[in-house]
Each structure stands twice: as structure tokens, then as C-alpha cells.
Amino acid sequence: MSRRYGETWVYESLVGGIPGLDLSRTAAVAIQVILFQTGVLLLGWYYGLWSAVLAGTVAVLVAAAGSVEMHRLGEGNRRLSTPPAHKRLLFGSSIEIVLGILAFIGLVTYLFVWDVGLLHRLFGPDPPVAAVYLTLLILWDLCYRIGTSWWSAVVALWRAVNVDLSPSDRARARRLDAENVAFSAIQLVLVPFLWSDPLLLGAVVGHVVAVAAVCTAAIVLS
């Protein structure tokens, strides 16, 4: 199915909009994993930060799974016979970027102002600049996926209330909403690394619960 920019996530637009670069979705995700994971392993080896490598690897895999799910949710929503207003709201508004930025700013504030304990546990009392840079890059990726899941849930509820769908599209929309719950639940694999940080733990679990609640409401109202 052809994709018009304005009917794609910002992530999809970036991947598909680079001149001269025609990557399949599989190739784009594979490159993402290779680059991030290579960085995690090299920096872990160079600085002797093997305690951070496991957490970094899990975060890379979560981000990659999020990329796959974004492609699936994007394509699925484009296939729905919904009015242009739905797709403009979901894709054209780029609200997922705004929500991702807000989540990322909150996370950075927590890590560097509220409680630096997590950074010290991962990198020691004098964190290497390169390791922190890569960590923030991966965390931004995760926050962007969180923002996308939030916005998908909100728009799904709007769609359920305001758009009449055919029986086949209604069933497809419900599957997409259920998949968005799974999309958010991927973040739960980070929980074992957050036991000592109840605020971050609560934020991740709360995110999943909130998305599940809104998507469930959308499914019921569809």
C-alpha cells in the first residue's frame, strides 16, 4: 500500500524520506539493532561497563520491537476505511513526537536532578560521556515509542466514539487496539532493572495500565 507523508509516523517519514535510500522495514530495523547494539558492546568493553551491557541490550531490543510495532500499527490504521480526519489526527498532527519529548524531558530530569542513583549504578560515579550519550539516544527511542502508544490509544478512543466502521473494519480496529496494548506492554521487560527506582517503575507500569484502559474502552465502544 502506498504511503503519503502526512499519513505516516514521523519515524516512518524519516526512514522513507532520505534521498537515495530505499530500505525495507526489515532492513531499517536490522540496521537500528546493529548500530545500537554495536555501540552498547563496544562502549561496555572499552569502559569496562559490563553491568550496563545487559540493560542496554534489553533496551535496544525493546526499541527494535517498538519499531516493528510502529510499522504494523501504522499500516493497519492506514488500511482502515476511516475519514481523512482520523488519519490526520493520528499521523499528520505528529503529537506522538510531542508526547515522546515530554516523556524524555521527564526522564532526563529524573536521571540528572531527582535521583542520579540509576546512572551511578550503571556507569559508576564518573559516567563516561560517550556511554551517557548512547544511553540517552536509546532512551529517546524508547520514549518516542511510549509517546506513539499513548497517542494511538487516545486516537483509537476518538475513532471509537466518532467514526462508524463496517463490521470488517471494526474487527480490524479492535485487533489494532489490542496490539497497541501489547506494544505498550513490551516496555515491561525493563521492570527488572527498575526495582530500585520506584518512580520510574511506577511510570512504566502506569503507562501500560493507562494504554490498556484507554484501548479497552475503545474496543468496547467500537
Side-chain angles (χ1 to χ4, degrees):
M1 177 177 190
S2 63
R3 293 177 292 167
R4 293 177 297 174
Y5 295 111
E7 289 190 0
T8 59
W9 306 116
V10 171
Y11 164 74
E12 293 177 295
S13 298
L14 289 173
V15 171
I18 300 175
L21 190 63
D22 185 17
L23 292 175
S24 68
R25 294 172 179 177
T26 301
V29 174
I31 290 171
Q32 173 187 340
V33 172
I34 291 169
L35 290 178
F36 278 167
Q37 187 59 25
T38 299
V40 168
L41 292 174
L42 284 178
L43 292 176
W45 165 77
Y46 184 78
Y47 292 109
L49 298 172
W50 294 111
S51 61
V53 168
L54 178 58
T57 298
V58 171
V60 168
L61 294 177
V62 170
S67 296
V68 173
E69 279 303 310
M70 284 189 69
H71 284 304
R72 288 176 56 85
L73 289 174
E75 189 65 30
N77 275 284
R78 284 188 289 271
R79 289 182 181 276
L80 293 177
S81 298
T82 52
H86 168 251
K87 294 179 176 65
R88 283 199 305 270
L89 188 62
L90 183 61
F91 299 114
S93 64
S94 299
I95 295 296
E96 84 275 9
I97 280 283
V98 177
L99 295 175
I101 289 172
L102 291 175
F104 184 67
I105 290 173
L107 178 59
V108 170
T109 302
Y110 176 85
L111 290 176
F112 291 96
V113 179
W114 185 270
D115 184 357
V116 299
L118 180 58
L119 283 178
H120 286 175
R121 286 197 302 276
L122 290 174
F123 304 123
D126 188 20
V129 172
V132 173
Y133 178 88
L134 180 61
T135 298
L136 291 177
L137 185 60
I138 295 171
L139 289 176
W140 158 247
D141 202 315
L142 294 177
C143 287
Y144 175 56
R145 313 303 172 182
I146 287 173
T148 302
S149 188
W150 286 348
W151 188 235
S152 295
V154 171
V155 175
L157 185 58
W158 178 90
R159 183 205 65 225
V161 172
N162 293 284
V163 179
D164 291 325
L165 296 173
S166 66
S168 60
D169 269 345
R170 187 178 299 117
R172 187 178 296 118
R174 286 171 173 166
R175 287 194 297 271
L176 287 171
D177 295 339
E179 190 161 344
N180 190 25
V181 176
F183 177 30
S184 68
I186 293 170
Q187 308 283 337
L188 292 177
V189 302
L190 299 170
V191 163
F193 302 100
L194 303 176
W195 287 122
S196 300
D197 296 273
L199 190 60
L200 288 182
L201 178 63
V204 171
V205 174
H207 154 66
V208 176
V209 171
V211 169
V214 175
C215 285
T216 299
I219 291 170
V220 171
L221 294 172
S222 293

